[in-house]
Amino acid sequence: MSTRFVLASASPARLKTLRAAGIEPEVIVSGVDEDNVTAENPGELARLLAVLKARAVVANLTDHATVLGCDSVLEFDGVAYGKPGTPEVARERWRMMRGRRGVLHTGHCLFDTSSKQEIRELASTEVQFADLTDEEIDAYVETGEPLVVAGSFTVDGLGGPFVTAIEGDYHNVVGLSLPLLRRMLIEVGISWPELWRSQKPFRYDESVASTYDETRGGPARAAAAARAVDDLLRCPAAPAGASAGAQRVLELAVGTGIVGAELVALGNLVHGFDLSTAMLRRANVRLPGHVAAADATRLPVADRRCDAVVAVWLLHLLDDSEPVIAEVARVLRTDGVFVTTTEKSDAGRYADGRGPDDTRSQDALAHLVAVASRHGLVLDGATSFVGPTRNTGNAPTYPLVRFRRT
């Protein structure tokens, strides 16, 4: 079975470190208020914060996962320094740090829900700082980088030239110790290469299908998605050849049929395709006789026969979305429409308080527009809908776009 590995941290540096080591974690931000946590010394503070982050995420999980919480603090003269937050504090700290040596502590907490094991560790690395001039400090603070990182510096960013020596694990200074994490994973029975293997395409088997609806926002999110899709199907005009009443909709990756059923309730006639037998069994209950097994790149539909094709949360899962878009273009009538979600990953990242992904997603809007144009599809409409509230208290807004067949 694949290991669901969750990073309970909003840190881009930690995510980048794991990705560089071949691991693509699921990111869930804990929402822990770090400012109100105290401990007897800086190392214990880092470890305690890591534990609180991991436990906060585990408390909201609905299925098994291995969760990693991390937090870093810089120690000088027995005092813990986290993120400075303001330029004034950052300048003051750097004037205290320059030419001196501090200790960067990173707490690690690994919580494996299957074995119910919680492992807490601390990695500490000595860091020697350059003797910066006041002008260099001012220039660095003006970049904004030291305001939002533990200890007011980075070793893998703009602050790299200001770190003259490191004694210990380099990755620990970035935000997590890879060798330590490997040892922690072994303690819960997970080998490092297993996390590489778990990055293979996700399989929607019975264990996933049985909890899919409840873990993906349930009827409320499905209804919101269906209303947004329906708005784009009916405005500004119905596709050529469609009746004035029900729209004939072909849904790709129909899943459990939860969105398709809502589209039917809005007056549409929906036919759905999917590759997962477990998902199709559930979809057939909601859309009896209107679902079938098929690959979205090889649809059992004749050329130019469809009025509308819908794909909700499909394209972001693909290594290459162009074959699907080309197939959609093949089956659509002239003036037929393709409605799809876009920027799904970034919508979730923004709701979690993080920036956009640094890799091009297959559902990125710019990418979709370029690919669609090659196959005679032109962007001509857009809307959005709101998903369930995340652990941060924010709700992601999912963009939905419409392409028309020329």
Side-chain angles (χ1 to χ4, degrees):
M1 294 181 61
S2 295
T3 299
R4 182 187 180 194
F5 184 66
V6 175
L7 175 62
S9 172
S11 166
R14 293 190 182 107
L15 179 60
K16 185 177 180 180
T17 298
L18 288 170
R19 282 177 169 169
I23 296 173
E24 182 67 35
E26 178 181 348
V27 177
I28 303 178
V29 180
S30 66
V32 170
D33 184 0
E34 302 176 24
D35 294 334
N36 292 321
V37 179
T38 59
E40 61 185 31
N41 59 61
E44 285 306 309
L45 177 61
R47 182 155 36 197
L48 176 57
L49 286 168
V51 171
L52 293 176
K53 287 181 177 182
R55 288 182 177 178
V57 169
V58 168
N60 288 290
L61 293 178
T62 57
D63 53 2
H64 288 302
T66 302
V67 179
L68 174 65
C70 291
D71 197 89
S72 300
V73 299
L74 179 67
E75 178 181 356
F76 260 97
D77 301 325
V79 178
Y81 294 94
K83 301 171 185 175
T86 67
E88 293 74 23
V89 173
R91 287 190 186 93
E92 180 182 348
R93 288 190 186 174
W94 261 102
R95 286 168 183 159
M96 178 269 295
M97 290 160 44
R98 59 184 171 189
R100 299 181 62 197
R101 182 178 292 259
V103 179
L104 195 289
H105 301 287
T106 298
H108 299 66
C109 178
L110 191 71
F111 198 119
D112 184 69
T113 63
S114 297
S115 61
K116 295 183 174 58
Q117 294 184 75
E118 181 185 76
I119 300 173
R120 291 170 268 180
E121 297 287 353
L122 179 70
S124 301
T125 305
E126 290 194 2
V127 182
Q128 175 67 49
F129 296 100
D131 190 7
L132 273 64
T133 65
D134 287 346
E135 291 75 14
E136 286 176 315
I137 291 174
D138 289 342
Y140 184 37
V141 171
E142 285 176 6
T143 68
E145 181 182 85
L147 278 63
V148 294
V149 290
S152 312
F153 79 101
T154 65
V155 71
D156 60 330
L158 296 177
F162 308 138
V163 176
T164 60
I166 289 175
E167 291 187 18
D169 181 8
Y170 166 86
H171 294 106
N172 187 58
V173 182
V174 177
L176 68 89
S177 171
L178 294 177
L180 176 58
L181 175 58
R182 171 183 166 272
R183 296 194 299 272
M184 295 169 75
L185 287 165
I186 290 173
E187 289 190 46
V188 299
I190 299 173
S191 70
W192 191 265
E194 185 177 338
L195 293 182
W196 292 337
R197 293 194 296 269
S198 70
Q199 307 310 309
K200 293 180 179 179
F202 192 71
R203 295 183 62 84
Y204 290 90
D205 56 16
E206 182 61 33
S207 64
V208 175
S210 63
T211 61
Y212 185 84
D213 292 348
E214 62 188 80
T215 58
R216 292 341 192 256
R221 187 170 82 157
R227 287 192 297 270
V229 169
D230 189 64
D231 286 346
L232 290 181
L233 289 175
R234 297 176 184 276
C235 179
S243 67
Q247 301 280 351
R248 299 177 65 88
V249 178
L250 179 63
E251 185 180 1
L252 307 181
V254 69
T256 64
I258 190 170
V259 174
E262 295 290 343
L263 285 171
V264 171
L266 292 171
N268 301 284
L269 177 61
V270 178
H271 302 276
F273 291 131
D274 206 293
L275 282 175
S276 167
T277 302
M279 292 291 218
L280 286 172
R281 279 199 295 269
R282 288 160 176 79
N284 196 47
V285 174
R286 289 180 167 127
L287 305 168
H290 289 270
V291 298
D295 188 323
T297 64
R298 295 186 296 275
L299 296 172
V301 178
D303 294 355
R304 302 298 183 99
R305 295 295 297 273
C306 294
D307 299 324
V309 178
V310 170
V312 178
W313 297 306
L314 167 64
L315 301 184
H316 73 285
L317 298 172
L318 306 177
D319 292 329
D320 183 4
S321 58
E322 182 156 9
V324 171
I325 295 171
E327 187 70 348
V328 168
R330 180 186 70 79
V331 303
L332 277 177
R333 301 176 187 272
T334 299
D335 206 36
V337 297
F338 173 44
V339 177
T340 180
T341 46
T342 180
E343 311 281 4
K344 179 183 185 296
S345 297
D346 280 348
R349 292 174 64 87
Y350 289 131
D352 288 337
R354 295 177 290 140
D357 196 349
D358 57 6
T359 58
R360 187 187 73 178
S361 173
Q362 289 297 308
D363 75 335
L365 182 57
H367 176 65
L368 293 183
V369 170
V371 172
S373 67
R374 292 200 288 267
H375 298 280
L377 296 168
V378 178
L379 180 69
D380 81 336
T383 187
S384 63
F385 61 95
V386 178
T389 302
R390 309 289 279 249
N391 292 334
T392 58
N394 298 320
T397 298
Y398 296 107
L400 196 72
V401 294
R402 179 184 63 208
F403 294 91
R404 193 172 294 276
R405 185 71 163 91
T406 59

